[in-house]
Every structure is written in C-alpha cells, then in structure tokens.
Amino acid sequence: MIRKDIIDRFRVPAGAKIRIKDHNPGWSQTEEMEELGKDALKERARQTLDQNLADLSHAQEMLYADDRFAVLIVLQAMDAAGKDGTIKHVMSGVNPQGCQVFSFKKPSAEELDHTFLWRYMKCLPERGRIGIFNRSYYEDVLVVKVHPELLTAQHLSPVKFGSKFWSQRYKDINAFERHLVRNGTVVLKFFLNVSKEEQKRRFLERLDRPEKHWKFSTSDLAERGHWDQYMRAYSECLSATSTKWAPWYVVPADHKWITRAIVADVVTTTIQSLDLKYPEVTEEKKEQLAEARRQLTAE
Ligand code: AMP
Ligand code: MG
C-alpha cells in the first residue's frame, strides 16, 4: 500500500483552485522519492501494484457478496496518457463478472438528442460491480469546451455558451455525482497527467511500430495542437468538480508503473474502507443448509 500522505498529494481538495501545470507528471514527487532514485522507486511501485492487485481481487469479491455498493471509476486524459494500459493492468486480477468497462467516443445522433448525461447514465455499474468509464461525461466540459462548435449539434439554442453555461454544467455534474454517492455508488476520478514531451515520444513510438499504427489517428495530432486550451479546460474542470463525495486524483502519467500503482492503490483502499460484509445467513437458511447436508450424505 502507498503511504496515505503520498496519495493525499494527488487528491484535489474540494473547492481548491488548481492548475495542471503545478502537478509533476514525472516520478519524483517528494524529496524522499528523489533520494530513493528512479530504479528503486520503480521496483517499489511494481511490488505495491502486485500486492494491490491481490488485495483488489479479494476486495471486489467482497463488493459483489455485500451487494450494497457500486464503484464508478472515471478515467480522463490526453491521448496516449495510458488509460487503456491502466485499465488492463489494474483490472487484470479482477473477476470479469464483477467489472464493466465502457469507452465513450463521439456521441451519436440519438445521444445528441438527449441531455448530455443520458448516455453515461445508461452505463452506470449496478450494485456489487466496478464500472470503468474510459472517457466520460467530463468530455462534455473538456473536448466540447475546447471545441464549442460541437455544441451546435446538441441543439441547445438559444442558450448562450458563456462562462455561466460551463459553470452550470459543472454544477449538474456535481449534483449527478452527489446523487450517485447518496445511493451507494462510490465515485473515483483520475486524470492521468502526461506531459506534452512524453505524449510526443509515445506518438512517435506508435508511428515507428506497425502493430501500434491502429492506435494513431490524425485527429490525435490536431488535439495536441490545442494542448494549452485542454490544460486550461482540465484545470477549470478539476477545480470545479473535485468534491468531498467524488474527488479527483491528478496521477503522474509519464511513467506507466507510477500511474498503475497509484490508481490500483486508490481503488483498492477505497473499496477496503467500505466495511463490506458477507450477507448474514438467517436461521431459516441455516436450517435449509443443514437439511441439504443431510440429504446429500444420505444418498
Ligand atoms: P479515443 O478514446 O482516443 O478512441 O477517442 C475518442 C474520441 O471521442 C476523442 O477524441 C474524444 O474527445 C471524443 N469524444 C468522447 N466523448 C465526446 C463527447 N461527449 N463529445 C465530443 N467528443 C467526444
Ligand atoms: Mg485516441
């Protein structure tokens, strides 16, 4: 498990005004980490991830048996920040029956004819399950804010798309998440914070390796061109929507081992903190079990 004070560094305090550029996307977050050095830290992160994956597997079984809570994990990031890899690694030890992943692309015509939360609501995890959103309703205050022309397709006129429009969307999101949490869904949100330099390196790697070509789209480069606008949109969004009930974590993403260890740790320790129990067996049920045993042994 990662020390609580280190994890606390990545959580955006409710109501805090943050700037993404003040968060280090690299490995050296504290003096202690700096002294330890990259290699030793990498080894430690690997061990932590292994331990967390074992614990997560058990925690998820308990979540399923307890059947009172659901967990929603929201992953947001620039392209090539490692969302897919994080999902693959962090969920590798989890029973597939207890986990659902949804990836959200550009909305369809039908989806655009509903309010912006509709398509995400349909994919929320049921009690006992972990649901992962690979991109989410946050795209509607990120990519859509960077490209306000996308709003035309949402047929919202005569609404004015000024700052009030966006602060209302943040409020809608906070209220939506508040509703989820009040009704037993734990909401965890991760922004994988990759640097512009590391994204370039990963894009070039995709271009160098034919088996990675499918992952590259020319629109990725166009979005990279809007980097500063995205960082501004993320800073504003995380400042407005990190709440006590649904906090954001800004996770360093220039090194995949660090990203995975942190996400696995937060997910595992959060589920463990839920005080999950196996459902109580009633006296009547106990009698039925005893009767079943009698019948089987008498065969
Ligand atoms: P990827 O996840 O890299 O396959 O790309 C999915 C694309 O869909 C990204 O460019 C997202 O910005 C875009 N996208 C996801 N949700 C929305 C949305 N609500 N409105 C517009 N574009 C979106
Ligand atoms: Mg992409």
Side-chain angles (χ1 to χ4, degrees):
M1 223 158 272
I2 302 175
R3 260 185 16 221
K4 195 177 164 299
D5 59 308
I6 296 183
I7 289 294
D8 285 348
R9 285 173 173 266
F10 303 122
R11 190 184 308 110
V12 177
K17 270 223 164 318
I18 64 131
R19 285 182 310 185
I20 297 299
K21 64 175 177 209
D22 296 334
H23 289 253
N24 181 355
W27 61 271
S28 76
Q29 304 290 323
T30 61
E31 241 173 68
E32 192 187 341
M33 287 172 163
E34 187 77 52
E35 273 167 26
L36 201 60
K38 186 175 160 189
D39 290 340
L41 198 66
K42 186 171 180 176
E43 187 47 38
R44 213 181 261 191
R46 284 237 169 89
Q47 288 166 0
T48 310
L49 180 61
D50 285 348
Q51 182 57 49
N52 269 320
L53 293 190
D55 292 348
L56 181 58
S57 171
H58 179 251
Q60 186 246 326
E61 265 181 49
M62 287 300 297
L63 187 78
Y64 194 77
D66 179 275
D67 206 26
R68 287 178 301 157
F69 298 98
V71 178
L72 174 65
I73 300 172
V74 169
L75 289 175
Q76 283 293 153
M78 297 298 283
D79 286 303
K83 290 195 279 37
D84 294 340
T86 301
I87 295 169
K88 188 165 135 191
H89 279 80
V90 174
M91 291 299 141
S92 59
V94 165
N95 182 346
Q97 285 208 74
C99 181
Q100 303 150 320
V101 185
F102 293 95
S103 299
F104 296 98
K105 313 279 176 195
K106 288 195 174 68
S108 68
E110 188 197 11
E111 288 166 344
L112 286 166
D113 268 344
H114 292 268
T115 80
F116 78 96
L117 290 172
W118 181 73
R119 67 171 180 154
Y120 309 98
M121 270 190 224
K122 293 195 301 178
C123 301
L124 290 169
E126 57 211 90
R127 286 183 216 287
R129 303 266 165 100
I130 300 175
I132 303 180
F133 281 3
N134 182 351
R135 301 189 190 273
S136 65
Y137 41 92
Y138 282 99
E139 290 293 330
D140 291 87
V141 290
L142 294 164
V143 65
V144 181
K145 194 172 185 187
V146 172
H147 300 284
E149 66 277 11
L150 289 171
L151 281 169
T152 324
Q154 296 193 3
H155 298 220
L156 293 172
S157 54
V159 179
K160 286 207 183 72
F161 304 129
S163 68
K164 199 165 159 209
F165 175 83
W166 298 110
S167 65
Q168 281 171 349
R169 278 208 167 180
Y170 298 143
K171 279 188 192 155
D172 285 348
I173 288 176
N174 288 343
F176 171 60
E177 290 176 345
R178 181 94 197 142
H179 164 76
L180 294 180
V181 173
R182 278 191 178 129
N183 289 276
T185 299
V186 177
V187 183
L188 293 171
K189 307 177 295 197
F190 299 97
F191 168 62
L192 308 191
N193 184 25
V194 76
S195 67
K196 199 174 178 189
E197 299 71 45
E198 179 61 18
Q199 189 199 51
K200 177 176 171 181
R201 210 189 56 73
R202 291 184 190 175
F203 276 173
L204 285 171
E205 192 182 306
R206 286 181 182 180
L207 294 172
D208 286 344
R209 293 170 56 182
E211 76 279 13
K212 291 219 171 182
H213 283 173
W214 66 274
K215 274 210 156 200
F216 193 85
S217 126
T218 44
S219 71
D220 292 352
L221 208 54
E223 294 318 297
R224 178 179 166 78
H226 297 286
W227 188 275
D228 292 344
Q229 285 161 277
Y230 270 106
M231 290 306 113
R232 211 173 310 129
Y234 268 108
S235 300
E236 287 164 4
C237 167
L238 269 58
S239 301
T241 60
S242 199
T243 53
K244 267 201 215 118
W245 57 89
W248 271 107
Y249 292 84
V250 179
V251 183
D254 276 4
H255 301 281
K256 292 173 180 174
W257 40 273
I258 259 203
T259 316
R260 291 167 189 172
I262 294 171
V263 173
D265 195 273
V266 173
V267 174
T268 308
T269 51
T270 305
I271 300 177
Q272 284 173 339
S273 73
L274 291 176
D275 183 32
L276 303 170
K277 299 185 215 55
Y278 288 109
E280 267 185 43
V281 182
T282 59
E283 284 308 314
E284 191 190 350
K285 176 88 182 181
K286 278 184 193 156
E287 274 167 31
Q288 287 170 359
L289 296 175
E291 177 55 27
R293 177 184 294 279
R294 273 194 295 278
Q295 282 189 26
L296 281 169
T297 44
E299 265 181 15

